[in-house]
């Protein structure tokens, strides 16, 4: 394969002319022949004024470029779509696949010998890894890093666990507007990604565990000097990868690496969103992500990381308390330590040389876990034949085995219109059901699964109820919430047939979620069911027509990879 500026030439039918033209434009920008002969490292920057989590991305890109130059390479910083959770209508998940396609196509189109992927906010690292695995060019991830924790009136605050807690208190009337406003200024006190174990922190930890970052890259705060040193080192390592042509993403993304990611996802009590993203990333390499294996791993893996929302502290404490390799050391008997990483070291080699210090209050020993059960369990049953997920670490234990009547909301609009109706016929025993909020139905599977507790119950002190949907849930949320029900209602799954008053039984111990309605009744209801209309045009139409269900990662069916296809240089 050609390297440097000679690679991926524009097609004029005359390669030498294409190179002459390309070099001419760069000479016009002031580059010397010396510069143009160096290994080229693309630096994918997701800086955007609409993405405050990535406000430091330009600084990270500068530090990466410094590392590239120090190692004798030539950096080219380039943009892709950038997604922030609060700036992506109707939901960032709808746009994740578009960002993955943008990333993949730019990696196929640009003359780069290796690429550094700067990501962070929830969907960005998954999208970058999906694109990189498909394009299969040497790629290394550097997360932007997490925010520092806020300090407010004697407590530490974290986005967005405390955003939700404070908002719930405000809704229930136990927090006034003035107090809410004062706390608001301290919820996100610096730039960076949410500093609790939400999806961004989870995906940074999983990217590092899969082997796609340098060690320690998941935890250094966005505004720390460690972050900038890691960025510089990442740039240097990218030049080595550019010169040797590897490792390639598909050398890194193995079944062993995915099993390691499953172990760490359970041990950090990570976001359930990671299940969808891991399935999508694995799918790009033609590897089915094994949810049954993930569930089995959970039975052997306690939660060791004492981070909010399951625990007490924040990402900056995880970093100073030993960082991710110190957690791997705790989990070494459960991990496949021979798995390679982009650093050139295996997981085991990193563990062996990592400093011995560990803060046991942050990274707990195996005999003193934060949560003895598995963090996340996978359910199946007559309501979710293809699966569903529940975050046990965020649930009320007594509700994880529960039978109650359904109260059904047909859509997000229906939920918003009725949930606070004083006449809503709801009791604490009800199972709240939200449907048509899945990948096709919403579309884009928004984080609406943690339905708000109806005001008439919340103001009476009810804090949790069984909630069931085909939507997702933020990694920072709490509750006995059954998510990712598959097939979703809009695809004709049993969720579409539930009626108010039907009995639903959740038994997380036996991994079941069942709709207790006779088959004959369901058959009659199915005959009357009609699929909802799909969006009329554009990307949303493509999404609704080709998106897969949660267990396959909600990727587009036509983007799944073959296990042995290299993908390199394929137009
Ligand atoms: Fe960007 Fe939480 S909103 S990481």
């Amino acid at each position: 394969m050609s390297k440097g500026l000679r690679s991926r030439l524009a097609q004029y039918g005359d390669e030498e002319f294409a190179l002459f033209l390309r070099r001419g434009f760069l000479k016009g920008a002031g580059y010397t022949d010396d510069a143009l002969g160096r290994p080229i490292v693309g630096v994918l920057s997701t800086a955007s004024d609409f993405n405050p989590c990535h406000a430091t991305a330009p600084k990270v890109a500068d530090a990466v470029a410094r590392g590239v130059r120090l190692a004798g390479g030539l950096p080219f910083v380039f943009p892709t779509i950038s997604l922030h959770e609060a700036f992506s209508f109707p939901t960032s998940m709808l746009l994740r696949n578009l960002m993955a396609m943008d990333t993949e196509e730019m990696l196929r189109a640009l003359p780069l010998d290796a690429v550094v992927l700067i990501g962070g906010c929830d969907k960005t690292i998954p999208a970058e890894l999906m694109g990189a695995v498909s394009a299969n060019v040497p790629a290394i991830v550097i997360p932007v890093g997490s925010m520092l924790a806020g300090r407010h009136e004697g407590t530490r605050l974290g986005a967005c666990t405390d955003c939700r807690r404070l908002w719930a208190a405000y809704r229930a009337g136990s927090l006034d507007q003035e107090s809410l406003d004062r706390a608001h200024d301290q919820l996100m006190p610096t730039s960076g990604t949410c500093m609790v174990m939400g999806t961004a922190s989870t995906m940074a930890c999983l990217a590092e565990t899969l082997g796609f970052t340098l060690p320690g890259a998941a935890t250094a705060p966005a505004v720390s000097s460690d972050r900038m040193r890691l960025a510089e080192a990442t740039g240097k390592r990218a030049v080595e990868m550019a010169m040797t042509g590897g490792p390639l993403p598909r050398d890194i993304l193995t079944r062993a690496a995915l099993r390691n990611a499953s172990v760490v996802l359970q041990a950090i009590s990570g976001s359930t969103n990671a299940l969808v993203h891991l399935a999508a990333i694995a799918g790009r390499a033609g590897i089915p992500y094994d949810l049954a294996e993930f569930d089995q791993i959970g039975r052997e893996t306690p939660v060791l990381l004492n981070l909010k929302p399951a625990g007490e502290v924040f990402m900056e404490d995880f970093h100073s308390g030993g960082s991710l390799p110190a957690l791997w050391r705790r989990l070494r008997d459960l991990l496949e330590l021979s798995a390679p990483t982009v650093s050139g070291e295996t997981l085991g080699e990193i563990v062996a040389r990592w400093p011995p210090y560990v803060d046991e209050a942050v990274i707990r020993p195996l005999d003193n876990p934060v949560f003895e059960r598995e963090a996340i369990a996978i359910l199946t049953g007559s309501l979710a034949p293809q699966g569903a997920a529940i975050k046990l670490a965020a649930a009320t234990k007594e509700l994880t085995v529960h039978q109650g009547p359904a109260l059904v909301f047909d859509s997000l609009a229906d939920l918003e219109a009725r949930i606070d109706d004083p006449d809503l016929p709801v009791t604490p025993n009800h199972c709240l059901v939200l449907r048509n909020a899945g990948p096709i139905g919403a579309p884009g599977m928004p984080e609406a699964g943690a339905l708000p507790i109806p005001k008439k119950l919340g103001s009476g002190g009810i804090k949790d109820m069984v909630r069931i949907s085909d939507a997702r849930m933020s990694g920072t949320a709490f509750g006995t919430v059954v998510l990712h029900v598959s097939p979703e209602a809009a695809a004709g799954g049993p969720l579409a047939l539930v009626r108010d008053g039907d009995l639903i039984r959740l038994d997380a111990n036996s991994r079941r979620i069942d709709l207790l309605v006779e088959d004959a009744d369901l058959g009659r209801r199915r005959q009357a069911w009609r699929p909802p209309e799909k969006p009329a045009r554009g990307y949303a139409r493509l999404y609704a027509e080709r998106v897969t269900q949660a267990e396959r990662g909600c990727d587009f069916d036509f983007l799944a990879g073959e296990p042995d296809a290299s993908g390199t240089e394929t137009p």
Side-chain angles (χ1 to χ4, degrees):
M1 173 191 159
S2 301
K3 289 212 155 208
L5 288 181
R6 221 172 232 293
S7 70
R8 306 182 187 100
L9 289 163
Q11 303 273 290
Y12 296 116
D14 181 344
E15 289 198 346
E16 291 308 315
F17 172 69
L19 180 61
F20 173 77
L21 204 61
R22 176 178 282 177
R23 286 173 58 85
F25 279 111
L26 286 169
K27 280 168 180 274
Y31 287 83
T32 62
D33 285 336
D34 179 18
L36 299 183
R38 303 296 177 112
I40 295 178
V41 174
V43 182
L44 187 164
S45 173
T46 39
S48 161
D49 285 349
F50 284 116
N51 191 341
C53 291
H54 291 202
T56 53
K59 280 185 186 306
V60 174
D62 281 352
V64 169
R66 184 169 69 241
V68 171
R69 290 190 191 98
L70 283 170
L74 181 64
F76 281 92
V77 179
F78 69 100
T80 60
I81 295 168
S82 184
L83 301 175
H84 185 283
E85 290 304 289
F87 292 85
S88 303
F89 175 81
T91 168
S92 62
M93 187 62 184
L94 181 69
L95 300 168
R96 184 204 61 179
N97 294 353
L98 189 61
M99 182 175 172
M101 292 174 86
D102 182 350
T103 303
E104 176 182 346
E105 297 310 324
M106 285 298 97
L107 298 192
R108 289 186 193 284
L110 297 170
L112 43 82
D113 299 317
V115 66
V116 176
L117 305 166
I118 301 174
C121 196
D122 296 19
K123 307 303 178 295
T124 55
I125 287 179
E128 288 171 347
L129 286 179
M130 290 161 71
V133 170
S134 290
N136 210 30
V137 299
I140 181 167
V141 172
I142 175 81
V144 293
S146 51
M147 299 175 203
L148 296 177
R151 288 182 185 274
H152 177 64
E153 299 180 359
T155 59
R156 295 173 84 196
L157 296 179
C160 262
T161 297
D162 289 306
C163 317
R164 291 175 195 283
R165 180 179 62 78
L166 293 170
W167 189 252
Y170 174 67
R171 258 177 66 86
S174 55
L175 187 75
D176 63 31
Q177 182 76 52
E178 205 180 311
S179 304
L180 182 72
D181 289 347
R182 280 203 307 278
H184 202 188
D185 284 344
Q186 305 306 326
L187 278 168
M188 292 94 165
T190 69
S191 58
T193 51
C194 295
M195 63 297 227
V196 299
M197 193 47 74
T199 304
S201 302
T202 301
M203 291 312 302
C205 290
L206 297 188
E208 185 172 331
T209 302
L210 287 170
F212 281 106
T213 75
L214 293 184
T219 58
V223 294
S224 67
S225 55
D226 273 354
R227 174 63 50 198
M228 295 306 148
R229 280 189 287 270
L230 274 161
E232 184 184 298
T234 299
K236 280 186 176 172
R237 176 62 189 147
V239 175
E240 293 168 0
M241 293 166 70
M243 292 199 286
T244 58
L248 296 170
R250 292 198 195 181
D251 301 330
I252 300 293
L253 188 73
T254 60
R255 285 173 199 267
L258 286 160
R259 273 193 294 278
N260 287 341
S262 294
V263 170
V264 168
L265 177 54
Q266 294 280 15
I268 63 177
S269 186
S271 165
T272 44
N273 289 328
L275 296 171
V276 180
H277 298 319
L278 284 173
I281 295 163
R284 293 300 185 101
I287 305 174
Y289 182 61
D290 191 339
L291 286 171
E293 181 184 69
F294 170 79
D295 187 80
Q296 187 54 41
I297 284 170
R299 293 171 195 256
E300 297 151 18
T301 312
V303 176
L304 297 184
L305 188 63
N306 190 17
L307 221 75
K308 280 178 176 263
E312 297 162 323
V313 300
F314 299 92
M315 284 298 279
E316 67 194 73
D317 306 303
F318 186 16
H319 187 62
S320 60
S323 191
L324 190 58
L327 178 68
W328 296 341
R329 186 180 287 134
R330 286 265 196 264
L331 297 165
R332 60 189 312 154
D333 291 343
L334 298 169
L335 294 171
E336 301 210 26
L337 295 171
S338 60
T341 75
V342 288
S343 70
E345 297 174 292
T346 64
L347 230 57
E349 287 165 343
I350 294 168
V351 166
R353 71 159 174 84
W354 199 250
Y357 174 75
V358 59
D359 183 341
E360 301 225 328
V362 177
I363 303 171
R364 296 271 194 89
L366 282 162
D367 60 3
N368 182 27
V370 178
F371 188 68
E372 288 197 3
R373 296 182 76 179
E374 56 279 21
I376 302 171
I378 303 300
L379 312 173
T380 56
S382 61
L383 189 54
Q386 289 170 208
I390 182 168
K391 191 168 187 181
L392 296 174
T396 304
K397 191 167 181 217
E398 297 70 43
L399 285 175
T400 58
V401 177
H402 178 84
Q403 181 169 312
L407 178 64
V408 182
F409 297 92
D410 244 330
S411 64
L412 284 160
D414 183 28
L415 172 71
E416 201 168 334
R418 293 196 294 131
I419 190 73
D420 287 338
D421 183 342
D423 297 325
L424 190 72
V426 65
T427 67
N429 195 40
H430 270 91
C431 299
L432 301 180
V433 173
L434 170 65
R435 64 184 169 211
N436 295 314
I440 299 170
M445 204 182 183
E447 287 184 341
L451 283 70
I453 300 298
K455 225 172 197 167
K456 70 187 265 189
L457 297 181
S459 55
I462 300 297
K463 291 199 162 53
D464 194 11
M465 297 172 69
V466 171
R467 291 162 267 177
I468 301 164
S469 76
D470 43 17
R472 295 176 302 115
M473 173 175 92
S474 163
T476 61
F478 280 100
T480 310
V481 181
V482 177
L483 302 152
H484 309 180
V485 168
S486 176
E488 65 173 300
L495 197 66
L497 310 179
V498 183
R499 292 186 179 166
D500 284 350
D502 287 350
L503 283 180
I504 292 176
R505 179 162 177 76
L506 164 66
D507 185 347
N509 294 336
S510 57
R511 303 294 197 255
R512 297 286 304 181
I513 179 78
D514 289 297
L515 177 61
L516 307 181
V517 174
E518 297 293 329
D519 286 348
D521 280 348
L522 291 177
R524 277 189 291 278
R525 293 181 196 179
R526 181 166 297 288
Q527 284 185 347
W529 177 79
R530 298 287 172 271
E533 269 190 29
K534 291 187 173 155
R537 61 175 295 281
Y539 175 75
R541 174 79 183 200
L542 171 71
Y543 191 95
E545 284 185 346
R546 304 303 293 268
V547 72
T548 59
Q549 293 292 288
E551 70 277 7
R552 289 179 59 199
C554 302
D555 199 3
F556 292 147
D557 54 5
F558 56 86
L559 292 174
E562 297 294 325
D564 297 314
S566 87
T568 310
E569 293 285 284
T570 307

